[in-house]
């Protein structure tokens, strides 16, 4: 290293001398003193192979490769490193838009139990949501439902199952995003699936003859089927229950029948599955040369899953009891009506009994109809009563009643439609039945239905020419307004 320093001193001295020689040519300036060194250069030292520790490295020779950019002393990169993005609040806002839906627009064969899922581009401001934000409509009108929000998603759940094979439109309007953006009204259209019948299954015993089946169901899927079954010498009434999952495993007998069989069979059920079966077997009685029909009933209590047992509720002594009809209310109480008349005589009546589910007993029979004056005649002889029950528990009966002239006559002059309302507070039928219509006609086959308010609509066939002729062919109707 000493040799290196000596060489540097020598070079510097030569440079200074040259600098002095190249100075101004003014003769007044004295010549510079010669440069001297205390020690002569020692050329006998070995050459230096490279820079010693702490020495500055020499420059690379021409043509040498450049060091990497990240090496000490390297060439700075041509592109500067990326900088951090600006804060979120400085970024431009993304607009609110509908980006997906389930079901998707123009979908077909959509389930009747579907909910509506909507996904948006940015989170939704919950304060912008109203009852009108999502509207699900069809040709029948708007469907009610519940709406929930979760960040970028809205879910609309209809309150009721959708209609079969119906086109629906989902309209989304009035929404605002948390970033303040909004959107125009968006629409999603879809069509629900149609229904189809599943493969048939056998309910009755395949080794027995079964006939005259009746069916009733509640709104929750509970239901029951009953039928007559002839198995060799045995005649029985069979029943099979079902729930929302399908039919129970096997049919069960609920009553034996006399050898002469039965006339009619009827069934009523409520949403809980409580049911009443009524039928009219032919029974021999001492007072009649021919069998007469009675009314029997069997009640099924869904809460304990058992039949209460068959009971005769209309004694056939001297009378035919026919056309029994029944209803069951939400509390499990039942009402039965039927037509009864003296054997081989004109002048039937409408009779009713009520079954009290707790403690499980039948009321005494009572008449539903009455005899009234109609013009120049008297209305007596009631037939074919039918019951209806509304969702509020209101029960009404409707039937036809013959109008006879005051003088003795072989045939009635007309047949009118009459009705009565069951008084739930008094637990009995009204004292004054009402005339529904048909005063100038021959009415037949009345039917009645009741809505949730207790209002009713009745229809019947009218305009017979006489009691024995073919109907002229028109349908009449009337509307009962509760409390009017």
């Amino acid at each position: 290293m000493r040799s290196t320093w000596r060489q540097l001193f020598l070079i510097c001295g030569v440079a200074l001398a040259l600098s002095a020689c190249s100075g101004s040519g003014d003769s007044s300036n004295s010549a510079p003193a010669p440069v001297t060194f205390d020690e002569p250069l020692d050329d006998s030292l070995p050459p230096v192979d490279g820079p010693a520790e702490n020495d500055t490295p020499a420059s690379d020779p021409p043509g040498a490769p450049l060091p990497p950019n990240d090496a000490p002393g390297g060439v700075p990169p041509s592109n500067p490193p990326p900088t951090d993005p600006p804060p979120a609040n400085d970024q431009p806002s993304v607009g609110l838009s509908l980006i997906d839906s389930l079901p998707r627009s123009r979908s077909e064969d959509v389930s009747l139990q579907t909910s509506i899922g909507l996904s948006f581009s940015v989170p939704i401001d919950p304060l912008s949501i109203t009852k009108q934000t999502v509207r699900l409509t069809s040709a029948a009108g708007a469907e009610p439902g519940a709406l929930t929000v979760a960040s970028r998603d809205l879910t609309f759940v209809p309150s009721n199952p959708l209609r079969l094979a119906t086109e629906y439109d989902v309209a989304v309007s009035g929404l605002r995003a948390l970033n303040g953006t909004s959107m125009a009204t968006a629409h999603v259209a879809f069509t629900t699936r149609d229904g189809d019948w599943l493969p048939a299954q056998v309910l009755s015993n395949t080794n027995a003859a079964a006939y005259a089946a009746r069916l009733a169901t509640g709104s929750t899927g509970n239901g029951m089927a009953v039928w007559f079954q002839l198995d060799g010498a045995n005649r029985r009434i069979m029943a099979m229950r079902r729930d929302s999952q399908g039919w129970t495993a096997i049919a069960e007998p609920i009553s034996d029948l006399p050898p002469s069989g039965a006339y009619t069979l009827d069934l009523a059920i409520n949403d809980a599955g409580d049911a009443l079966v009524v039928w009219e077997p032919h029974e021999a009685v001492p007072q009649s040369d021919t069998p007469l029909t009675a009314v029997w009933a069997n009640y099924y209590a869904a809460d304990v899953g058992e039949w209460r047992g068959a009971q005769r509720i209309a004694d056939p002594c001297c009378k035919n009891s026919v056309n029994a009809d029944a209803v069951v209310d939400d509390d499990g109480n039942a009402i039965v009506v039927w037509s009864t008349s003296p054997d081989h005589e004109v002048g039937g009546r409408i009779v009713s009994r009520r079954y009290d589910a707790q403690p499980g007993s039948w009321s005494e029979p009572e008449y539903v109809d009455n005899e009234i004056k109609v013009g120049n005649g008297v209305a007596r002889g009631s037939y074919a009563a039918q019951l209806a029950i509304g969702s509020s528990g209101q029960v009404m009966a409707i039937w036809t009643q013959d109008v006879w002239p005051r003088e003795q006559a072989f045939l009635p002059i007309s047949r009118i439609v009459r009705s009565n309302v069951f008084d739930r507070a008094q637990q009995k039928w009204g004292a004054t039945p009402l005339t529904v219509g048909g005063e100038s006609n021959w009415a037949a086959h009345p039917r009645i239905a009741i809505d949730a308010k207790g209002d009713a609509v009745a229809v019947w066939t009218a305009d017979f020419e006489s009691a024995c002729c073919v109907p002229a062919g028109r349908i009449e109707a009337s509307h009962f307004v509760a409390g009017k």
Side-chain angles (χ1 to χ4, degrees):
M1 184 171 70
R2 291 177 61 188
S3 174
T4 301
W5 283 111
R6 288 173 179 172
Q7 292 174 3
L8 291 174
F9 287 149
L10 178 60
I11 294 172
C12 290
V14 173
L16 289 174
L18 293 176
S19 175
C21 293
S22 61
S24 172
D26 189 352
S27 60
S28 62
N29 293 335
S30 60
V35 178
T36 61
F37 296 93
D38 295 333
E39 298 181 9
L41 296 175
D42 187 358
D43 296 330
S44 64
L45 295 175
V48 179
D49 295 330
E53 185 177 356
N54 297 328
D55 288 345
T56 302
S59 300
D60 292 327
L66 294 175
N69 291 340
D70 55 353
V75 179
S78 58
N79 296 320
T83 60
D84 293 333
N89 293 337
D90 296 337
Q91 293 181 358
S93 297
V94 176
L96 176 64
S97 63
L98 178 65
I99 60 174
D100 199 5
S101 67
L102 190 66
R104 288 186 167 85
S105 193
R106 294 183 294 278
S107 295
E108 297 181 350
D109 197 36
V110 175
S111 169
L112 306 184
Q113 309 293 333
T114 190
S115 59
I116 313 301
L118 304 167
S119 295
F120 297 86
S121 55
V122 290
I124 300 164
D125 183 356
L127 297 179
S128 68
I129 296 175
T130 69
K131 293 182 179 180
Q132 303 300 317
T133 298
V134 176
R135 285 178 52 83
L136 175 63
T137 58
S138 68
E143 294 286 346
L147 183 63
T148 59
V149 58
S151 185
R152 300 187 304 113
D153 299 321
L154 287 180
T155 302
F156 181 83
V157 180
S159 301
N160 306 304
L162 302 184
R163 301 169 184 268
L164 285 172
T166 301
E167 294 181 359
Y168 282 91
D169 176 74
V170 182
V172 186
S173 61
L175 270 185
R176 183 176 65 252
L178 287 175
N179 63 13
T181 61
S182 59
M183 69 177 198
T185 299
H187 292 270
V188 175
F190 64 88
T191 303
T192 53
R193 66 183 48 159
D194 201 351
D196 196 6
W197 290 100
L198 300 178
Q201 63 183 107
V202 178
L203 304 185
S204 63
N205 186 343
T206 56
N207 296 321
Y211 57 98
R214 297 292 184 269
L215 174 69
T217 62
S219 62
T220 60
N222 291 317
M224 184 178 293
V226 295
W227 61 89
F228 294 133
Q229 185 165 295
L230 176 60
D231 185 4
N234 299 317
R235 295 176 182 267
R236 294 173 176 157
I237 296 178
M238 307 295 292
M240 182 177 285
R241 292 172 287 109
R242 66 167 290 130
D243 56 23
S244 59
Q245 303 302 314
W247 294 100
T248 54
I250 59 173
E252 54 188 328
I254 64 172
S255 179
D256 291 332
L257 295 173
S260 56
Y263 183 58
T264 60
L265 182 65
D266 193 50
L267 168 65
I269 197 169
N270 65 7
D271 289 345
D274 301 318
L276 184 72
V277 182
V278 293
W279 64 96
E280 301 152 22
H282 302 295
E283 298 184 4
V285 294
Q287 297 87 348
S288 176
D289 296 333
T290 59
L292 299 178
T293 55
V295 177
W296 285 66
N298 198 346
Y299 182 87
Y300 178 78
D303 57 344
V304 294
E306 67 180 19
W307 292 92
R308 296 263 173 95
Q311 292 180 265
R312 181 193 287 117
I313 61 174
D315 195 322
C317 180
C318 305
K319 297 179 180 180
N320 272 313
S321 299
V322 295
N323 301 321
D325 194 26
V327 294
V328 180
D329 67 20
D330 290 340
D331 296 324
N333 303 313
I335 295 177
V336 182
V337 295
W338 64 88
S339 304
T340 183
S341 64
D343 186 24
H344 305 306
E345 294 184 18
V346 177
R349 300 294 303 270
I350 304 300
V351 184
S352 176
R353 292 186 74 174
R354 181 178 185 274
Y355 182 80
D356 190 350
Q358 297 296 334
S361 60
W362 287 94
S363 68
E364 292 297 319
E366 65 174 311
Y367 289 120
V368 180
D369 62 344
N370 68 348
E371 184 176 295
I372 61 169
K373 295 180 180 180
V374 179
N376 294 324
V378 177
R380 56 184 176 86
S382 302
Y383 307 95
Q386 185 236 339
L387 290 175
I389 184 170
S391 59
S392 63
Q394 176 84 339
V395 176
M396 297 184 70
I398 194 169
W399 65 92
T400 57
Q401 197 161 334
D402 288 345
V403 178
W404 294 81
R406 294 182 182 276
E407 64 276 7
Q408 186 65 31
F410 181 71
L411 292 175
I413 56 178
S414 66
R415 180 173 289 170
I416 61 175
V417 178
R418 305 197 70 202
S419 73
N420 203 344
V421 179
F422 185 79
D423 188 334
R424 288 176 291 170
Q426 300 293 325
Q427 293 295 293
K428 63 181 183 180
W429 290 95
T432 308
L434 302 175
T435 298
V436 181
E439 292 90 336
S440 60
N441 303 303
W442 193 271
H445 312 301
R447 293 292 182 268
I448 188 171
I450 307 175
D451 65 18
K453 298 183 297 182
D455 296 346
V457 175
V459 296
W460 61 92
T461 306
D463 201 18
F464 281 75
E465 292 185 0
S466 67
C468 60
C469 298
V470 177
R474 80 170 185 237
I475 303 298
E476 295 183 348
S478 184
H479 183 198
F480 174 86
V481 181
K484 183 175 181 180

